[in-house]
Amino acid sequence: MTRTQESSAHWGTFQVDVSDDGRTVVDTRPYADDPDASPAIAGVAEGQHHPLRVVRPAVRRRWLERGPGPDDHRGDPDDEYVEVEWDEVLDLLAAELDRVRSAHGNRAIFGGSYGWGSAGRLHHAQGQLHRFLNAIGGYTSSKNDYSRGASLVLLPHLIGADGMEQLRTRPPSWPQIAAHTDLLLCFGGMRLSNTSVIPGGHDRQVVGGLSRDAARTTRIVTVSAQRDDIGADLDAEWLGIVPGTDTALLLALTHTLVVEALADETFLASHTHGADRVRAYLRGDTDGVAKTPEWAARITGVPAATIRDLARRAAAGRTLVNVTYSLQRAEHGEQAVFAALTFAAFLGQIGLPGGGLSHGYGSMGDHGLGVERVKLPTFPQGRNPVDDFIPCARISDLLLHPDEDLPYDGGTLRLPDIRLVYWAGGNPFHHHQDLRRLRRGLARLHTLVVNEFHWTPTARHADIVLPAATPLERDDLAAGPGDSRLRTMPRAVAPVGEAREEFWIYDRLAERLGADYSEGLDSHGWLERIYETWRRANTDAPPFAEFWRAGGTPLPQRPYRDGAFSAFRADPAAHPLDTPSGLIEVFSPTLAGFGLSDTAGHALWIEPPVEPDSPYDLQLLCNQPSHRLHSQLDMAGPSRSTKVAGREPVRLNPVDATARGLRDGDVAIVRSPQGSLLAGVVTTDALLPGVAQMHTGSWYDPSAPHVADCVNGNVNVLTKDVGTSSLTQASSGARVAVSISRYDGPVPPVRAYEPPHLEHRPGAGRAERRPSERRTPARGRGNDRARARPSPPTSHPGRAPSPNGQPAADSGHRTPPHR
Ligand SMILES: Nc1nc2c(c(=O)[nH]1)N[C@H]1C(S)=C(S)[C@@H](COP(=O)(O)OP(=O)(O)OC[C@H]3O[C@@H](n4cnc5c(=O)[nH]c(N)nc54)[C@H](O)[C@@H]3O)O[C@H]1N2
Ligand SMILES: Nc1nc2c(c(=O)[nH]1)N[C@H]1C(S)=C(S)[C@@H](COP(=O)(O)OP(=O)(O)OC[C@H]3O[C@@H](n4cnc5c(=O)[nH]c(N)nc54)[C@H](O)[C@@H]3O)O[C@H]1N2
Ligand SMILES: [Mo]
């Protein structure tokens, strides 16, 4: 017998079957009325009870025995961990945090902690960590994201911060597209699998149905090296393009508009700044190269006649130009977005219903839903007294180049000297580029702390690993932007082993460091507080107890009346953009004035360096995985079902496969200047010749370095760790040049899904610390055991006691005491 409840993740809302004794998550499945639900949902139950769960606090033996300090053994697959008691590990960690902040200042603590931790609004991993670090004096932080980090820096210069916001929150909605758009031009395709992900998740996935409706009346053209970057049911035209050359195509499209008098000169004169400078560049006045379709054809592989025809078709009706995030996640990737904005401006349809520019269909599932966003309940993070930050994708630069300058957004950042990194809710050994380089960076640290559910590759580099309770082990609430319901995420089972809510962890640490984290409330008190604070502005919502009983409350579904830029279009003088000119800057004097070698005032084609005789003769696309969110639940069934030869598949065109003697199911070795990996071969004509593709998110497995840097197919051993540009400094992970050949040697086993060597040794944390490293924290309250008391059953108002008061199934240990 089981009981059923609901839970939520970034990949959607789902049902959870729990065994009658309240200890085991038996099954997780999507709602029957959610046909486009993410396949990842089916893996949640397996992830919950997987042998990879971190069940006790663990400390790397070398760190425990030698004390904090640089150590190039971090991440060694044979490294051993010692499991210790909570009070010991909290004492150790508090002392180390105190040592670092006293000896080196709070800026020596890096707490950026980028990543897609759980969807819950209260147990939001970064938010909680930031609140804690703020409470103890602050930390060096990170800005922007891996998703569209280049656009986040570029676009405010061109359309203003408010224009950027409009572009994100009010793009033409799918019903508007269906009603008004003749041609939807999709640079980077429009992957339905990507839209199952929304920060916070959604009640149901609706984009699939909406886009299928729109495709009945709107012609869709997909521009990508992969035919299946768009669903076959959308009946799109496929324009195959050499990866990384969209800027050239877009410049040639714009060139055609200009020479064929198809550009909207009235719009350019009234709503844009600098069109003349763009025209001069297109003609070749500045560099001697006219950006003609013939010029672009040589670069992009798209025939010149097709380019001309496409420009004419775009000018003939209502056209919407969409760029996926992926285009800008590459060296000089922001230029593609700049060029798309320029093309859309020359078409003159920005601000018209169903026309103009968009940046996100096929990248995020909430894009184009047509619903005004509402503010959601939020756990306050406090204020960070430390100003230092990095653009998040510069993590290895930060660790490897302390006290050096990094150019960024027209200025420079001085990189602080980091001694301690605390990561919660992210997996840099998933998300960062050039993992060998990241490893060298982490080796310089004194201490790496990671809170995790699972023994991820990042946890396996950490000196201190704290077992975090999962969303199924804690009470929370969730909603995504534009969502129809604020949903409860009730605890389904007791935490496994000694996993704890991170709220509990930070509260205990803060006490030891003389700081206040909880303001005297437990996590349930906070859940109610953030909800009731939110309810003050949402007076239709019921009181907390009623909300909890009902499992959620509807959110207003106010359709946005006008799309992005419609007010600006109607009257640019009355509704200027917050750019220096108040207009769309197709030429930005600010950007030109930065004097950067890789940025001009206008969209710029930057020729990739020619490398004759390079062995890296294939472009590998590294895109988002269809059956998981990044690296999450890679160990579970849905993700495993996609593997080939026991590791991540690499897809390539049969022509390229044959030339390399590769057949379906072979193990291939993929190499780049940065590193090598093993992958399982899949041939498909959905890819252009010369292009290969692997999903991101296979767990980094360095256990057979004599064979490959990763035997499990994590693409980030291959990618290059270089900023998108000296302007934007974002991630360049979308693709990398590689060689692929057959691997005929003995195939090493994948060890990434086994936990590390663990030794359970209560008291080790106390006995083995070197005296020189022991410090008494400022006003620590010391031993947790002395304060521990049995956990009361949770008493949510209006709710039966949850299984939370039960001992965890496999430890006989009490669940976190709620104070
Ligand atoms: N080459 C290449 N690299 C890429 C990309 C690419 O296109 N190409 N895409 C990039 C993009 S867009 C992104 S957003 C990043 C994503 O990078 P990440 O967000 O770092 O990847 P995830 O695998 O989602 O990692 C989240 C981790 O948080 C843990 N977690 C979940 N909830 C909690 C919690 O409540 N508490 C704690 N402590 N942990 C929790 C999960 O177990 C998981 O290990 O990857 C980037 N990397
Ligand atoms: N299922 C699932 N969905 C997800 C995620 C996930 O991990 N799993 N991650 C989510 C996150 S955090 C983000 S930021 C978004 C990312 O959204 P995107 O960045 O848009 O997604 P990608 O899958 O990386 O890229 C989409 C396609 O772009 C194409 N592409 C790459 N480079 C080029 C190029 O130079 N030119 C052209 N024309 N096409 C190119 C590739 O063929 C690729 O399949 O996805 C979100 N959705
Ligand atoms: Mo992302």
Side-chain angles (χ1 to χ4, degrees):
M1 284 293 289
T2 57
R3 60 181 174 78
T4 300
Q5 64 160 77
E6 183 176 280
S7 193
S8 287
H10 298 298
W11 53 88
T13 301
F14 54 94
Q15 289 180 291
V16 185
D17 294 337
V18 183
S19 67
D20 249 1
D21 61 3
R23 294 178 183 207
T24 312
V25 175
V26 182
D27 190 26
T28 41
R29 63 203 142 74
Y31 283 102
D33 62 351
D34 202 358
D36 292 323
S38 167
I41 288 170
V44 176
E46 192 181 343
Q48 168 68 22
H49 299 291
H50 198 277
L52 269 176
R53 278 295 299 274
V54 183
V55 290
R56 290 190 194 86
V59 185
R60 260 180 81 237
R61 181 193 298 284
R62 286 173 61 87
W63 189 93
L64 197 58
E65 292 175 356
R66 303 149 60 108
D71 185 352
D72 53 19
H73 284 261
R74 282 196 185 94
D76 183 339
D78 294 318
D79 236 1
E80 289 175 28
Y81 283 82
V82 180
E83 296 182 323
V84 300
E85 301 294 325
W86 267 111
D87 56 347
E88 297 166 16
V89 84
L90 292 170
D91 284 350
L92 265 178
L93 177 52
E96 174 59 1
L97 284 162
D98 195 46
R99 181 189 72 84
V100 172
R101 73 173 174 179
S102 313
H104 308 285
N106 277 73
R107 70 197 288 265
I109 301 174
F110 180 69
S113 190
Y114 181 79
W116 280 64
S118 121
R121 302 291 306 174
L122 172 63
H123 299 287
H124 177 260
Q126 279 78 30
Q128 295 213 354
L129 174 63
H130 294 163
R131 179 181 168 92
F132 164 66
L133 292 175
N134 286 338
I136 66 160
Y139 62 99
T140 291
S141 61
S142 67
K143 271 198 182 155
N144 307 337
D145 57 32
Y146 279 69
S147 314
R148 52 190 177 125
S151 294
L152 288 173
V153 179
L154 172 80
L155 284 174
H157 291 291
L158 311 181
I159 57 177
D162 62 348
M164 182 68 192
E165 181 63 17
Q166 290 184 53
L167 196 62
R168 172 78 182 103
T169 61
R170 246 173 269 136
S173 67
W174 283 106
Q176 280 172 340
I177 294 173
H180 300 281
T181 310
D182 299 305
L183 182 65
L184 173 57
L185 205 46
C186 295
F187 287 85
M190 201 162 60
R191 296 175 67 85
L192 184 62
S193 62
N194 280 356
T195 63
S196 65
V197 169
I198 299 167
H202 264 200
D203 193 31
R204 296 290 189 279
Q205 307 296 341
V206 294
V207 166
L210 290 172
S211 58
R212 287 188 285 269
D213 286 347
R216 279 195 262 278
T217 49
T218 301
R219 194 71 183 133
I220 302 178
V221 174
T222 173
V223 184
S224 169
Q226 298 201 87
R227 189 181 57 226
D228 52 6
D229 262 345
I230 198 158
D233 49 356
L234 298 191
D235 195 25
E237 283 169 50
W238 178 35
L239 215 63
I241 189 171
V242 173
T245 66
D246 305 77
T247 303
L249 176 59
L250 284 153
L251 290 172
L253 288 167
T254 313
H255 184 275
T256 305
L257 295 183
V258 173
V259 300
E260 299 197 2
L262 297 172
D264 186 336
E265 297 297 338
T266 316
F267 181 81
L268 288 172
S270 53
H271 287 76
T272 73
H273 176 85
D276 275 346
R277 302 290 294 265
V278 177
R279 283 191 201 92
Y281 174 65
L282 293 173
R283 280 193 305 265
D285 292 2
T286 43
D287 59 359
V289 181
K291 312 302 175 298
T292 62
E294 283 71 21
W295 165 81
R298 281 191 297 276
I299 297 168
T300 60
V302 181
T306 308
I307 299 176
R308 281 205 174 83
D309 178 57
L310 190 60
R312 291 172 194 150
R313 284 167 67 191
R318 185 62 51 83
T319 295
L320 181 55
V321 182
N322 183 56
V323 219
T324 52
Y325 297 172
S326 55
L327 264 71
Q328 49 88 68
R329 198 178 304 117
E331 270 177 275
H332 311 304
E334 65 271 359
Q335 297 303 330
V337 178
F338 201 162
L341 174 71
T342 305
F343 178 52
F346 276 67
L347 282 172
Q349 302 182 14
I350 294 173
L352 288 178
L357 176 75
S358 169
H359 193 19
Y361 306 113
S363 298
M364 275 308 152
D366 62 314
H367 202 73
L369 293 189
V371 175
E372 282 291 337
R373 293 175 170 212
V374 292
K375 280 211 168 65
L376 296 169
T378 308
F379 187 46
Q381 298 184 10
R383 210 187 64 78
N384 186 356
V386 175
D387 293 331
D388 298 86
F389 73 92
I390 53 161
C392 60
R394 302 279 49 84
I395 174 71
S396 294
D397 291 339
L398 170 71
L399 299 174
L400 290 166
H401 300 290
D403 302 320
E404 290 184 20
D405 286 339
L406 182 80
Y408 171 68
D409 199 12
T412 35
L413 301 173
R414 174 61 55 90
L415 299 174
D417 192 354
I418 301 297
R419 304 303 166 107
L420 183 147
V421 168
Y422 199 145
W423 221 290
N427 185 0
F429 279 87
H430 160 72
H431 67 233
H432 196 54
Q433 284 56 66
D434 194 346
L435 296 181
R436 283 206 308 207
R437 184 168 186 254
L438 176 63
R439 231 170 133 171
R440 284 201 300 280
L442 292 174
R444 282 197 66 261
L445 288 175
H446 288 191
T447 301
L448 174 61
V449 189
V450 170
N451 298 353
E452 254 297 349
F453 310 150
H454 294 120
W455 280 102
T456 62
T458 300
R460 296 187 67 154
H461 284 73
D463 301 303
I464 298 180
V465 181
L466 301 182
T470 67
L472 294 178
E473 297 166 345
R474 57 198 188 196
D475 288 319
D476 210 334
L477 41 84
D483 208 348
S484 58
R485 196 158 60 95
L486 178 65
R487 308 176 303 274
T488 62
M489 295 169 67
R491 178 192 297 230
V493 289
V496 303
E498 298 184 30
R500 295 287 187 273
E501 288 183 357
E502 283 154 297
F503 182 97
W504 180 93
I505 296 173
Y506 298 132
D507 191 29
R508 297 298 180 283
L509 284 172
E511 280 177 341
R512 283 167 165 78
L513 290 161
D516 181 14
Y517 181 75
S518 59
E519 297 175 29
L521 289 180
D522 65 11
S523 62
H524 290 120
W526 268 107
L527 195 61
E528 185 163 349
R529 183 190 278 188
I530 67 170
Y531 176 85
E532 289 296 343
T533 306
W534 171 82
R535 197 165 71 92
R536 275 185 229 140
N538 295 268
T539 46
D540 288 349
F544 182 76
E546 209 178 303
F547 159 74
W548 196 263
R549 235 186 343 258
T553 186
L555 290 171
Q557 293 282 284
R558 271 182 294 115
Y560 44 73
R561 216 164 18 89
D562 302 308
F565 306 110
S566 59
F568 164 71
R569 182 176 187 98
D571 189 346
H575 304 283
L577 300 176
D578 59 348
T579 56
S581 61
L583 303 171
I584 296 170
E585 303 217 338
V586 289
F587 180 91
S588 160
T590 309
L591 290 184
F594 288 160
L596 301 168
S597 62
D598 54 2
T599 305
H602 52 73
L604 183 68
W605 168 247
I606 299 172
E607 198 72 49
V610 193
E611 288 165 36
D613 309 323
S614 165
Y616 308 110
D617 54 354
L618 293 169
Q619 281 291 322
L620 180 73
L621 300 168
C622 311
N623 61 350
Q624 312 304 311
S626 51
H627 283 59
R628 52 182 185 256
L629 171 63
H630 312 133
S631 68
Q632 297 186 47
L633 303 177
D634 185 37
M635 79 297 275
S639 180
R640 275 202 326 268
S641 74
T642 68
K643 307 279 175 172
V644 172
R647 53 217 76 222
E648 194 60 28
V650 59
R651 303 200 311 165
L652 72 176
N653 187 282
V655 172
D656 293 319
T658 308
R660 290 162 181 76
L662 289 167
R663 282 196 306 220
D664 286 281
D666 282 351
V667 174
I669 183 153
V670 186
R671 294 191 174 87
S672 83
Q674 285 66 244
S676 58
L677 60 75
L678 296 186
V681 172
V682 175
T683 61
T684 170
D685 66 0
L687 280 171
L688 291 183
V691 181
Q693 176 262 326
M694 290 183 75
H695 284 149
T696 59
S698 201
W699 281 25
Y700 174 57
D701 187 334
S703 62
H706 54 288
V707 174
D709 294 303
C710 174
V711 299
N712 194 30
N714 181 323
V715 291
N716 277 326
V717 298
L718 305 171
T719 52
K720 195 169 160 190
D721 184 16
V722 60
T724 40
S725 69
S726 57
L727 177 75
T728 54
Q729 296 290 5
S731 161
S732 297
R735 50 182 186 267
V736 60
V738 297
S739 69
I740 303 183
S741 51
R742 221 175 55 213
Y743 176 73
D744 287 320
V747 180
V750 169
R751 285 177 54 195
Y753 311 115
E754 296 162 15
H757 302 293
L758 293 166
E759 187 193 337
H760 186 52
R761 196 146 43 103
R766 223 172 300 287
E768 299 206 8
R769 232 173 322 146
R770 282 199 321 215
S772 62
E773 295 298 338
R774 202 177 294 140
R775 276 184 68 103
T776 314
R779 289 191 287 118
R781 294 227 316 243
N783 194 329
D784 222 59
R785 193 184 290 146
R787 294 185 297 128
R789 53 194 143 101
S791 139
T794 32
S795 49
H796 264 314
R799 173 171 177 256
S802 75
N804 145 18
Q806 305 282 328
D810 58 344
S811 74
H813 234 86
R814 295 277 172 187
T815 49
H818 292 291
R819 294 178 315 121

